[in-house]
Amino acid sequence: MASPHLSIVIPAYNEATRIERTLERVLECVRDHGWDAEVLVVDDGSVDETATIVRRYMQASPELHLVQNPGNRGKGYSVRNGLLQATGEIVMFTDADLSAPMEEAERLFAAIEAGADVAIGSRWLDRSRQTLHQPLYRRFFGRCFNRLTRAVMGLPYADTQCGFKAFRRAAAQVIFRLQRVERWGFDPEILFIARKLGFKIAEVPVSWGHDERSKISYLKDGSRMLQDMATIRSNSLMGRYDAAIAELADTSRMTTPVTSGVSAPVKPGVPLRDNGELTTAS
């Protein structure tokens, strides 16, 4: 069977109350736009009916698949697991709340088709596209965190945390095999790695509406993300990313060069065997 052109990854943890609506909107968008796509929901050890609901939808939707993590590992792990198992030429992930409407993915795809290796959605490049604003305290903490991230990580982007990003598959196979952060702080790390590898990154303004059911706690998760940033900088200063890049280039039989001199796999990569189970409709 030929690989799809697009892969859409949706990380999900205890999303039983909204996963049905999410699947309906995503699958409808795929069909309305005529996308040649697969949809992978990555269940991060949910203890509710999330996986059961996804399996039910799979019966009528052959493009839908379920990936199950070995327990609750975090959003970063879930995105990594899904994107490494994705087979599309363009792969992306979106949050389960669809704060950025699925239709906005066409803006990311256009940036990839125009030459970018990575396209990241931004809530802040064009604020007029925000349909439902965050409460003031969340905006304050979010902006502070983003400015700190830009300063510490050297990332020149208005929005590093938006859960709406797309990649050329070859780029994703390299970036996510180097990722080490498994929870909320993974976004700055993958952008840091992409820049280190010399991939072209495009920041794209997207429509976005705040969901009051957001699971991020700026006090608890914010402190963890700060720790993650310190870990990323430490890993970089100690040469761990350089060592991992050299090891990956040595063992993956890479043949397509990128700017950094590292190469990207040209054939579908084999997902890491301990990264969970891919379930397809029977």
Side-chain angles (χ1 to χ4, degrees):
M1 178 181 292
S3 298
H5 181 61
L6 305 173
S7 295
I8 301 167
V9 172
I10 307 171
Y13 175 65
N14 289 345
E15 293 287 357
T17 60
R18 58 184 174 186
I19 194 65
E20 289 189 70
R21 178 59 176 154
T22 297
L23 292 176
E24 289 171 0
R25 291 170 63 188
V26 171
L27 293 170
E28 180 181 20
C29 187
V30 168
R31 293 161 187 168
D32 286 350
H33 287 77
W35 293 342
D36 175 21
E38 64 178 358
V39 180
L40 286 74
V41 177
V42 184
D43 176 32
D44 191 27
S46 298
V47 295
D48 63 4
E49 297 298 309
T50 297
T52 300
I53 294 170
V54 175
R55 287 193 180 96
R56 186 172 75 245
Y57 272 79
M58 286 166 54
Q59 299 307 311
S61 304
E63 66 269 55
L64 178 62
H65 308 283
L66 175 66
V67 179
Q68 293 190 283
N69 291 344
N72 177 244
R73 297 293 296 269
K75 182 182 177 182
Y77 185 100
S78 299
V79 170
R80 178 177 184 263
N81 191 11
L83 290 186
L84 287 181
Q85 298 206 39
T87 60
E89 289 304 308
I90 298 176
V91 299
M92 69 164 295
F93 68 89
T94 181
D95 288 341
D97 62 10
L98 295 183
S99 290
M102 196 65 233
E103 292 79 6
E104 291 290 273
E106 292 212 317
R107 301 175 67 84
L108 302 183
F109 302 154
I112 298 288
E113 297 293 349
D117 300 298
V118 181
I120 64 175
S122 176
R123 299 163 288 186
W124 303 112
L125 280 183
D126 182 357
R127 299 187 189 184
S128 68
R129 299 184 67 87
Q130 293 191 18
T131 57
L132 182 60
H133 294 278
Q134 292 176 308
L136 184 59
Y137 79 95
R138 294 186 72 91
R139 274 183 278 170
F140 174 76
F141 280 112
R143 297 297 284 172
C144 287
F145 178 80
N146 191 65
R147 288 179 181 176
L148 183 60
T149 300
R150 294 172 66 180
V152 173
M153 305 294 296
L155 299 175
Y157 310 113
D159 190 352
T160 60
Q161 298 303 119
C162 184
F164 203 63
K165 295 180 173 68
F167 309 79
R168 293 187 188 275
R169 185 178 182 281
Q173 285 286 315
V174 178
I175 294 167
F176 284 91
R177 287 178 186 272
L178 298 174
Q179 177 196 336
R180 296 294 178 265
V181 175
E182 294 189 346
R183 294 196 178 271
W184 295 106
F186 80 99
D187 287 277
E189 184 186 33
I190 61 174
L191 294 177
F192 182 83
I193 292 170
R195 279 172 56 81
K196 189 174 185 67
L197 291 169
F199 286 118
K200 182 178 179 181
I201 303 172
E203 189 171 16
V204 180
V206 295
S207 298
W208 186 86
H210 174 63
D211 190 325
E212 292 292 344
R213 296 168 295 180
S214 174
K215 296 178 179 179
I216 292 182
S217 164
Y218 277 107
L219 292 179
K220 181 178 69 174
D221 297 316
S223 63
R224 289 178 179 173
M225 285 190 277
L226 291 176
Q227 293 173 6
D228 288 338
M229 281 196 293
T231 299
I232 296 165
R233 292 300 301 172
S234 175
N235 286 341
S236 180
L237 290 172
M238 296 182 70
R240 289 172 180 154
Y241 291 117
D242 292 329
I245 289 168
E247 181 181 358
L248 187 60
D250 216 28
T251 60
S252 296
R253 297 180 181 179
M254 299 175 173
T255 57
T256 303
V258 296
T259 306
S260 64
V262 179
S263 305
V266 295
K267 62 181 180 180
V270 178
L272 304 184
R273 295 302 181 185
D274 63 350
N275 266 12
E277 171 190 358
L278 175 64
T279 305
T280 57
S282 58

